[in-house]
Amino acid sequence: MQCSSERMTRAIKPLMTLCWVALLAACTPPSGDAQATAPAAATGNSAACATGASPLQTLICNDPLLLQQEGELAKAEATARETLDAAGKDKLQAEQQRWIQHTRDLCSDAHCLQQVFADRLAVLSATRDGLVDQDACEVPDGEHQCMDILVLRDPNSPLANFNTLLGENGQEGRLLGCTAAINSGGGQNAVLAANCTQETTSGKRNVQLCSNQMVGQFAIEPAPAAYGAQATDQLFGFTQQHCAG
């Protein structure tokens, strides 16, 4: 009987060891990598949300929707880069930096950020074979046929030109950045219009402006900030009224 008991004890020991290993594994916290992955997936840009973030980034980090949009933008930019050659990647990076400086960073509230994030996501998602502007067709008031225009994927590309025109037309201040811009016509007949933030000695205001350099027309007036299709419609109507030649 004693020999039989010893044999049974020896047989049970390996099973007890396996049970202890399984129990320890179940109670062990996730590794550092696993812990880092979970918050990153939940918060998007966790590094940017660390202590010392800018007021704008803090606003984003405290808003789940904005944080989600920021994460979607990062993924869309990475996907867009994969479709481009080396020169295209450099252009996209410069374009993204202009968007951050002259569009995103001019926002002061969540509504503005939601709009510019959505617009930028649409632009990045449309990147396929290059950094090209979007064709659109707008119908002038009182007419039935539409007019071809381009919605500039980088609304800040004409910023320097417009700032020069401000000075030439006796306008105060400077344009800090734009949320939307269109081009109707082409070449020397190009008519540009944009919705931008203007800074003067009185402060900042939102304006829309247009230029028809072929005939020397220029117009600027206060306007609400506009985004997406609403901005295109608003700018087209403004251009037809003030800069159509």
Side-chain angles (χ1 to χ4, degrees):
M1 291 294 293
Q2 182 178 357
C3 292
S4 176
S5 175
E6 289 177 356
R7 285 196 297 271
M8 184 177 296
T9 300
R10 286 197 298 270
I12 291 175
K13 279 184 177 180
L15 292 176
M16 292 177 66
T17 301
L18 288 174
C19 289
W20 275 109
V21 170
L23 182 61
L24 287 172
C27 296
T28 301
S31 67
D33 290 342
Q35 286 178 315
T37 302
T43 61
N45 193 352
S46 57
C49 293
T51 303
S54 68
L56 184 70
Q57 189 62 52
T58 300
L59 176 61
I60 295 171
C61 294
N62 290 335
D63 188 312
L65 176 57
L66 292 176
L67 206 54
Q68 178 183 345
Q69 286 182 298
E70 188 178 60
E72 291 172 350
L73 276 175
K75 292 179 182 178
E77 183 183 2
T79 301
R81 287 179 60 83
E82 293 176 358
T83 70
L84 303 170
D85 58 17
K89 287 180 173 64
D90 290 340
K91 290 179 64 177
L92 178 62
Q93 181 177 357
E95 180 186 277
Q96 186 72 0
Q97 289 172 343
R98 284 193 298 272
W99 175 79
I100 290 172
Q101 179 182 356
H102 298 293
T103 300
R104 190 202 70 172
D105 286 359
L106 297 185
C107 286
S108 59
D109 57 58
H111 175 71
C112 175
L113 285 168
Q114 289 169 10
Q115 295 293 330
V116 299
F117 278 3
D119 280 1
R120 186 61 183 161
L121 181 61
V123 169
L124 290 173
S125 299
T127 303
R128 294 293 182 270
D129 301 318
L131 309 181
V132 296
D133 299 319
Q134 179 185 353
D135 291 316
C137 203
E138 292 287 323
V139 180
D141 289 340
E143 298 188 20
H144 300 288
Q145 291 187 336
C146 67
M147 177 184 297
D148 291 329
I149 64 172
L150 286 178
V151 179
L152 304 189
R153 64 170 284 134
D154 182 2
N156 294 299
S157 56
L159 192 59
N161 180 37
F162 272 134
N163 271 317
T164 299
L165 288 171
L166 281 182
E168 292 176 351
N169 288 274
Q171 297 292 319
E172 182 188 5
R174 64 184 180 126
L175 301 177
L176 301 179
C178 306
T179 59
I182 64 170
N183 181 341
S184 58
Q188 293 182 343
N189 297 320
V191 180
L192 287 171
N195 190 292
C196 308
T197 299
Q198 181 187 21
E199 182 180 53
T200 69
T201 55
S202 301
K204 298 177 184 178
R205 65 173 186 167
N206 209 79
V207 297
Q208 57 188 5
L209 64 162
C210 63
S211 169
N212 185 337
Q213 293 179 268
M214 182 69 176
V215 296
Q217 289 179 315
F218 177 83
I220 182 171
E221 67 180 22
Y227 314 92
Q230 177 190 359
T232 300
D233 294 341
Q234 183 174 307
L235 286 172
F236 181 73
F238 176 72
T239 303
Q240 288 299 108
Q241 183 179 359
H242 296 284
C243 297

